[in-house]
Short mmCIF file of all heavy atoms in Angstrom, two decimals:
data_model
loop_
_atom_site.label_atom_id
_atom_site.label_comp_id
_atom_site.label_asym_id
_atom_site.label_seq_id
_atom_site.Cartn_x
_atom_site.Cartn_y
_atom_site.Cartn_z
N GLY H 262 -37.46 -19.50 40.47
CA GLY H 262 -36.62 -19.93 41.58
C GLY H 262 -35.23 -19.36 41.59
O GLY H 262 -34.37 -19.82 42.35
N GLU H 263 -34.98 -18.33 40.79
CA GLU H 263 -33.63 -17.77 40.72
C GLU H 263 -33.22 -17.10 42.03
O GLU H 263 -32.05 -17.12 42.40
CB GLU H 263 -33.48 -16.80 39.54
CG GLU H 263 -34.28 -15.52 39.61
CD GLU H 263 -35.73 -15.63 39.20
OE1 GLU H 263 -36.24 -16.73 38.96
OE2 GLU H 263 -36.38 -14.57 39.14
N ILE H 264 -34.19 -16.54 42.76
CA ILE H 264 -33.85 -15.90 44.03
C ILE H 264 -33.44 -16.96 45.05
O ILE H 264 -32.40 -16.86 45.69
CB ILE H 264 -35.02 -15.04 44.55
CG1 ILE H 264 -35.28 -13.88 43.58
CG2 ILE H 264 -34.72 -14.50 45.95
CD1 ILE H 264 -36.56 -13.12 43.84
N ALA H 265 -34.24 -18.01 45.18
CA ALA H 265 -33.91 -19.09 46.12
C ALA H 265 -32.63 -19.81 45.70
O ALA H 265 -31.86 -20.26 46.54
CB ALA H 265 -35.07 -20.08 46.21
N LEU H 266 -32.39 -19.89 44.41
CA LEU H 266 -31.16 -20.52 43.93
C LEU H 266 -29.95 -19.74 44.42
O LEU H 266 -28.96 -20.33 44.85
CB LEU H 266 -31.15 -20.55 42.39
CG LEU H 266 -29.90 -21.13 41.73
CD1 LEU H 266 -29.85 -22.63 41.92
CD2 LEU H 266 -29.87 -20.78 40.26
N LEU H 267 -30.04 -18.43 44.39
CA LEU H 267 -28.90 -17.60 44.76
C LEU H 267 -28.74 -17.41 46.27
O LEU H 267 -27.62 -17.39 46.76
CB LEU H 267 -29.00 -16.24 44.07
CG LEU H 267 -28.90 -16.28 42.54
CD1 LEU H 267 -29.23 -14.93 41.95
CD2 LEU H 267 -27.53 -16.75 42.10
N ASP H 268 -29.86 -17.30 47.00
CA ASP H 268 -29.69 -17.01 48.42
C ASP H 268 -30.07 -18.15 49.36
O ASP H 268 -29.87 -18.06 50.57
CB ASP H 268 -30.44 -15.73 48.81
CG ASP H 268 -31.95 -15.86 48.85
OD1 ASP H 268 -32.49 -16.97 48.65
OD2 ASP H 268 -32.62 -14.83 49.10
N GLY H 269 -30.62 -19.24 48.83
CA GLY H 269 -30.97 -20.38 49.66
C GLY H 269 -32.16 -20.15 50.57
O GLY H 269 -32.48 -21.00 51.39
N GLY H 270 -32.82 -19.03 50.41
CA GLY H 270 -33.97 -18.70 51.26
C GLY H 270 -35.24 -19.39 50.81
O GLY H 270 -35.25 -20.13 49.82
N PRO H 271 -36.32 -19.15 51.52
CA PRO H 271 -37.60 -19.78 51.18
C PRO H 271 -38.17 -19.23 49.87
O PRO H 271 -37.87 -18.11 49.46
CB PRO H 271 -38.51 -19.44 52.36
CG PRO H 271 -37.90 -18.24 52.98
CD PRO H 271 -36.42 -18.30 52.71
N ARG H 272 -39.00 -20.05 49.25
CA ARG H 272 -39.66 -19.64 48.01
C ARG H 272 -40.56 -18.44 48.28
O ARG H 272 -41.25 -18.39 49.30
CB ARG H 272 -40.49 -20.79 47.45
CG ARG H 272 -39.70 -22.03 47.10
CD ARG H 272 -38.85 -21.79 45.91
NE ARG H 272 -38.21 -23.04 45.50
CZ ARG H 272 -37.44 -23.14 44.46
NH1 ARG H 272 -37.19 -22.08 43.70
NH2 ARG H 272 -36.89 -24.28 44.14
N SER H 273 -40.55 -17.49 47.35
CA SER H 273 -41.36 -16.29 47.52
C SER H 273 -42.75 -16.43 46.91
O SER H 273 -43.58 -15.53 47.04
CB SER H 273 -40.64 -15.08 46.89
OG SER H 273 -40.41 -15.31 45.52
N ALA H 274 -43.02 -17.56 46.23
CA ALA H 274 -44.31 -17.77 45.59
C ALA H 274 -44.55 -19.27 45.42
O ALA H 274 -43.62 -20.07 45.54
CB ALA H 274 -44.34 -17.08 44.22
N THR H 275 -45.79 -19.60 45.15
CA THR H 275 -46.16 -20.97 44.80
C THR H 275 -46.32 -21.03 43.29
O THR H 275 -46.90 -20.11 42.69
CB THR H 275 -47.49 -21.37 45.48
OG1 THR H 275 -47.28 -21.35 46.89
CG2 THR H 275 -47.95 -22.75 45.05
N VAL H 276 -45.79 -22.06 42.68
CA VAL H 276 -45.92 -22.25 41.24
C VAL H 276 -46.62 -23.60 41.02
O VAL H 276 -46.17 -24.63 41.51
CB VAL H 276 -44.56 -22.23 40.52
CG1 VAL H 276 -44.74 -22.48 39.04
CG2 VAL H 276 -43.87 -20.89 40.77
N THR H 277 -47.74 -23.54 40.29
CA THR H 277 -48.56 -24.72 40.03
C THR H 277 -48.65 -24.96 38.53
O THR H 277 -48.81 -24.01 37.75
CB THR H 277 -49.98 -24.51 40.61
OG1 THR H 277 -49.85 -24.16 42.00
CG2 THR H 277 -50.83 -25.75 40.47
N ALA H 278 -48.57 -26.21 38.14
CA ALA H 278 -48.72 -26.58 36.73
C ALA H 278 -50.19 -26.46 36.34
O ALA H 278 -51.06 -27.08 36.96
CB ALA H 278 -48.22 -28.00 36.50
N LEU H 279 -50.49 -25.66 35.32
CA LEU H 279 -51.85 -25.54 34.79
C LEU H 279 -52.12 -26.60 33.74
O LEU H 279 -53.27 -26.98 33.50
CB LEU H 279 -52.07 -24.15 34.20
CG LEU H 279 -52.03 -22.99 35.18
CD1 LEU H 279 -52.17 -21.67 34.44
CD2 LEU H 279 -53.12 -23.14 36.24
N THR H 280 -51.07 -27.04 33.08
CA THR H 280 -51.11 -28.08 32.07
C THR H 280 -49.95 -29.03 32.40
O THR H 280 -49.16 -28.72 33.29
CB THR H 280 -50.88 -27.50 30.65
OG1 THR H 280 -49.54 -26.98 30.60
CG2 THR H 280 -51.87 -26.39 30.33
N PRO H 281 -49.81 -30.14 31.70
CA PRO H 281 -48.57 -30.90 31.90
C PRO H 281 -47.37 -29.99 31.60
O PRO H 281 -47.38 -29.25 30.62
CB PRO H 281 -48.70 -32.04 30.89
CG PRO H 281 -50.18 -32.22 30.72
CD PRO H 281 -50.74 -30.80 30.80
N VAL H 282 -46.38 -30.04 32.48
CA VAL H 282 -45.23 -29.15 32.38
C VAL H 282 -43.94 -29.96 32.38
O VAL H 282 -43.81 -30.91 33.16
CB VAL H 282 -45.22 -28.14 33.56
CG1 VAL H 282 -43.93 -27.33 33.61
CG2 VAL H 282 -46.42 -27.20 33.48
N LYS H 283 -43.02 -29.58 31.52
CA LYS H 283 -41.66 -30.13 31.53
C LYS H 283 -40.71 -29.02 31.91
O LYS H 283 -40.85 -27.89 31.41
CB LYS H 283 -41.27 -30.69 30.16
CG LYS H 283 -42.03 -31.93 29.77
CD LYS H 283 -41.54 -32.47 28.44
CE LYS H 283 -42.36 -33.69 28.05
NZ LYS H 283 -41.92 -34.25 26.76
N THR H 284 -39.77 -29.32 32.79
CA THR H 284 -38.79 -28.32 33.20
C THR H 284 -37.38 -28.88 33.17
O THR H 284 -37.19 -30.11 33.17
CB THR H 284 -39.04 -27.82 34.65
OG1 THR H 284 -38.74 -28.87 35.57
CG2 THR H 284 -40.45 -27.32 34.85
N LEU H 285 -36.44 -27.97 33.12
CA LEU H 285 -35.05 -28.29 33.45
C LEU H 285 -34.86 -27.80 34.87
O LEU H 285 -35.23 -26.68 35.19
CB LEU H 285 -34.07 -27.54 32.54
CG LEU H 285 -33.82 -28.10 31.16
CD1 LEU H 285 -32.83 -27.20 30.41
CD2 LEU H 285 -33.31 -29.51 31.20
N SER H 286 -34.30 -28.63 35.70
CA SER H 286 -34.08 -28.29 37.10
C SER H 286 -32.58 -28.24 37.36
O SER H 286 -31.86 -29.17 37.00
CB SER H 286 -34.73 -29.35 37.99
OG SER H 286 -34.47 -29.08 39.34
N ILE H 287 -32.12 -27.14 37.95
CA ILE H 287 -30.72 -27.00 38.32
C ILE H 287 -30.66 -26.85 39.83
O ILE H 287 -31.04 -25.80 40.37
CB ILE H 287 -30.06 -25.79 37.61
CG1 ILE H 287 -30.15 -25.98 36.09
CG2 ILE H 287 -28.62 -25.63 38.06
CD1 ILE H 287 -29.62 -24.81 35.28
N PRO H 288 -30.21 -27.89 40.54
CA PRO H 288 -30.14 -27.82 42.01
C PRO H 288 -29.09 -26.83 42.47
O PRO H 288 -28.02 -26.69 41.86
CB PRO H 288 -29.76 -29.24 42.44
CG PRO H 288 -29.84 -30.08 41.22
CD PRO H 288 -29.81 -29.18 40.03
N ALA H 289 -29.37 -26.16 43.58
CA ALA H 289 -28.48 -25.13 44.10
C ALA H 289 -27.08 -25.65 44.42
O ALA H 289 -26.09 -24.98 44.14
CB ALA H 289 -29.09 -24.48 45.33
#
Side-chain angles (χ1 to χ4, degrees):
E263 67 279 8
I264 296 169
L266 178 72
L267 294 171
D268 73 4
R272 299 290 186 178
S273 59
T275 296
V276 178
T277 306
L279 294 176
T280 65
V282 172
K283 291 183 182 181
T284 70
L285 280 180
S286 177
I287 300 176

